Amino acid sequence: IGKALGAVGVRFLQVLGQYVQLPPEYEQSFRNVYDQASPLYTANAFQSMEASIERLGRQIRELEAQGGVNQEKIEKVNTERQQIQTLMDEVAVVEKIGGGSIVTVYKAILKNGQTRILKIRNPNLIEKLTQDGDLIRQIITDLKQADPKNVGDYVVADRMLTLIEQWVTADVNDVAFVEYDKIYSQQHDNYVTSGGVRIGVSQVGEPYTVDVKVESFVEGVTLNEFIYGSTTRPAGSKEEARRYVSAIVEDYIRHLREPVRLADGRLGYLAHSDLHPGNVMVNPQTRELSLIDRNYYLVLEERDKPLIDLILVPRQARQSRATQFLSLFGIINPLDQLAELDRFLDYVLSLPE
């Protein structure tokens, strides 16, 4: 059901484990959905790029009709349009290598022989998101009436749906990614964790628009495949897998601790908004890690620092970190999972610094 409901359904599955303990026999199926969610529609890459060019053309004509005050916007949109047209002339799509809830991913070769990743936004995405959200909200409403004993759970689900819709919409329409990615990428220049693991990022190319995105091709396998294996390769060693997972956690916490200067001069904290083993590539030869699919960044401000400090506070310095965490928002946990949240925080923070 989650796969069939596209972006909204997949996001539901991603956060479901925070509220309900997943049976072990379902864990691998959930991981596969995170990594290879079916695209909304299977579409030809070039047809989708042509549709994007037409959409940008309409946008230019609308801006021109409004008068010369929009000249800067017109030039920006026209640049995007020309970049997509140039890409169509210079690229050969080799194969479709993945499908996400928002984009379809292709492996492509440029005329100069370089390999690239081409991510095309799925057609009719916004309309599908609206339909799926309305469907899920109606199901929740019906369940509240049919199962009043568990109405608290459905209230949580309703709140989750609103947050997920905001998350997906921000992801789809993000126009600040390239600006943030330059900063985030610089934080990974020659970065090596305390355990000796080098962590880099895939490189963003042109065009990089809401419809068409080009990135460097990263050799290797996902961390998910390295940990659990697949039909084509055995799992890696548990010791090395633990080392990689610890490295990723250390890097993520680093981004919550080290402020960066944003383009507008503010101090902030940039974090990967969808970090999981399927979005980490492992190079078996170099044993280096690369973070991929960073399409949307979590941006925290200085005012969020008390929350960050609370999450990262040493165990001996608090009574119940979970209770304090929820009290910041005036939340009483409806599913009584304070102990589970506390254990999760303890586990994450027990990994090597």
Side-chain angles (χ1 to χ4, degrees), residues 110-166:
L110 300 179
K111 283 185 177 179
N112 60 14
Q114 294 180 337
T115 303
R116 290 289 184 269
I117 292 297
L118 182 60
K119 298 194 287 190
I120 306 294
R121 188 166 84 168
N122 294 324
N124 303 319
L125 174 64
I126 302 301
E127 294 84 350
K128 187 68 165 57
L129 289 175
T130 301
Q131 293 172 5
D132 292 341
D134 291 344
L135 174 60
I136 295 175
R137 188 165 278 110
Q138 184 59 55
I139 292 173
I140 294 172
T141 299
D142 293 342
L143 287 171
K144 287 179 181 177
Q145 298 175 354
D147 185 21
K149 290 183 179 180
N150 295 305
V151 67
D153 294 352
Y154 305 131
V155 170
V156 173
D158 208 354
R159 187 184 303 126
M160 283 171 53
L161 176 59
T162 299
L163 293 174
I164 288 169
E165 288 176 322
Q166 294 173 352

Side-chain angles (χ1 to χ4, degrees), residues 329-345:
F329 305 99
I331 296 173
I332 298 176
N333 191 324
L335 298 184
D336 193 25
Q337 287 195 309
L338 291 177
E340 285 80 355
L341 177 57
D342 223 23
R343 284 197 294 271
F344 171 75
L345 292 170

Side-chain angles (χ1 to χ4, degrees), residues 33-44:
V33 170
Y34 302 157
D35 290 355
Q36 300 176 349
S38 299
L40 305 182
Y41 303 98
T42 300
N44 179 277

